[in-house]
Amino acid sequence: DTEKTAAGLTELCREYRLGKVICTVNEADSKVFTDRGYAIEGIISRFFKGEPAWCVSYFAQSQRAVSREIEKEDEIIEKAKEMKRQYTHSEENGFKVRTATGDDAEELAGLYSDVFKTYPTPMDSAEYIRKVIGRQIILKVAEHQGRIVSAASADMNTKYLNAEITDCATLEGFRGRGLMSGLIYRLEQRLKEEGFIVLYSLARAPSTGINIVMSKQGYEYAGRLINNSNIMGSFEDMNIWEKIIN
């Protein structure tokens, strides 16, 4: 019952003093939400097993709908687009790239704690990582001298054949070496073999590096989610990038 759901969500905002509701809906249902004051913030092509998805958001608090750095973030997007599809895969000399397992949970939790002040999912919890790794997510890591220095995952939706490229983190001393691009490339190859249709990523809008990485990999900019994720200590805008792989 889409009408009831849309109405119920806005009521929950009032009851629990929530700032924003985020929904991913099909085209037919999108009008129900927009008629109730939801804004369309992006569209992910072929999200629902080949059919598009509308990213609609309801801002219960007006200040939550205002981006603090929109001009800077627009400049980052334009810079990233200039480097579209420039990635060429090569082996990462001096680094070992592999698929992570539950045995890596403690070290991975430490990596995410080091890189992010806050994060939308509990990737700083070894227990959580052990729960999802190899089931809900595929996680690739790059090692240097036996130490995990970079990681990225694919959060898989096997029902609709889409996957989110997420949990991208590289220790400060190892950034700028192309490690993240290599990890994403390997995730893509695996997901393509398994028949996934579309990949998407929510990239931190203020971060030049990760937006350039997505553009270089051939992802297309598909919208921006305003004040969407509590990451690095505060709410940040997130850019939507998508890539059709099958």
Side-chain angles (χ1 to χ4, degrees):
D1 189 334
T2 308
E3 291 274 3
K4 185 176 180 181
T5 299
L9 288 171
T10 53
E11 181 60 35
L12 284 174
C13 283
R14 288 188 286 271
E15 183 178 351
Y16 292 99
R17 299 181 181 179
L18 305 179
K20 183 179 184 181
V21 177
I22 308 154
C23 300
T24 309
V25 302
N26 62 31
E27 182 178 11
D29 289 340
S30 63
K31 190 175 186 303
V32 174
F33 286 87
T34 55
D35 284 349
R36 290 189 169 272
Y38 283 71
I40 298 173
E41 294 199 284
I43 298 174
I44 302 175
S45 300
R46 304 181 71 181
F47 182 92
F48 292 114
K49 209 169 186 178
E51 298 299 321
W54 270 247
C55 302
V56 297
S57 300
Y58 177 75
F59 295 93
Q61 300 170 357
S62 58
Q63 65 270 26
R64 184 74 178 267
V66 180
S67 173
R68 297 183 298 274
E69 299 183 334
I70 197 76
E71 291 182 4
K72 176 186 174 183
E73 293 168 0
D74 285 345
E75 290 174 1
I76 289 173
I77 287 296
E78 292 309 310
K79 184 175 181 180
K81 287 180 177 178
E82 291 173 2
M83 302 184 185
K84 186 176 178 180
R85 294 194 178 94
Q86 291 187 9
Y87 175 72
T88 302
H89 183 66
S90 61
E91 295 302 314
E92 298 84 350
N93 293 329
F95 296 89
K96 177 184 177 182
V97 177
R98 61 178 177 84
T99 301
T101 70
D103 293 337
D104 300 306
E106 295 287 349
E107 189 174 1
L108 286 166
L111 171 73
Y112 289 106
S113 295
D114 287 344
V115 172
F116 297 107
K117 186 175 180 180
T118 55
Y119 198 67
T121 57
M123 290 299 287
D124 59 348
S125 164
E127 181 180 358
Y128 173 79
I129 291 173
R130 276 191 288 265
K131 179 180 178 181
V132 298
I133 199 167
R135 299 178 182 88
Q136 181 180 337
I137 69 171
I138 303 168
L139 203 151
K140 295 284 187 179
V141 298
E143 288 181 324
H144 180 69
Q145 297 179 352
R147 176 192 181 196
I148 295 176
V149 297
S150 186
S153 78
D155 190 342
M156 301 175 291
N157 186 324
T158 54
K159 178 179 180 180
Y160 293 118
L161 297 178
N162 68 65
E164 179 184 2
I165 302 300
T166 185
D167 305 326
C168 300
T170 303
L171 292 177
E172 188 171 359
F174 295 89
R175 294 170 191 167
R177 305 192 191 189
L179 294 175
M180 188 54 60
S181 292
L183 295 178
I184 293 173
Y185 173 83
R186 286 172 170 81
L187 287 170
E188 286 182 7
Q189 299 309 301
R190 168 82 176 268
L191 293 164
K192 188 173 183 178
E193 290 172 3
E194 295 190 11
F196 282 79
I197 296 172
V198 67
L199 309 181
Y200 69 98
S201 187
L202 307 183
R204 295 178 56 223
S207 171
T208 302
I210 190 60
N211 286 282
I212 287 176
V213 165
M214 301 313 299
S215 184
K216 279 186 172 181
Q217 297 282 141
Y219 286 70
E220 301 282 349
Y221 175 68
R224 181 175 299 145
L225 305 172
I226 301 298
N227 290 319
N228 195 78
S229 301
N230 190 333
I231 192 167
M232 301 302 285
S234 63
F235 284 115
E236 287 189 355
D237 301 343
M238 306 296 284
N239 290 329
I240 306 169
W241 291 91
E242 64 162 6
K243 184 175 183 179
I244 297 169
I245 60 171
N246 273 315

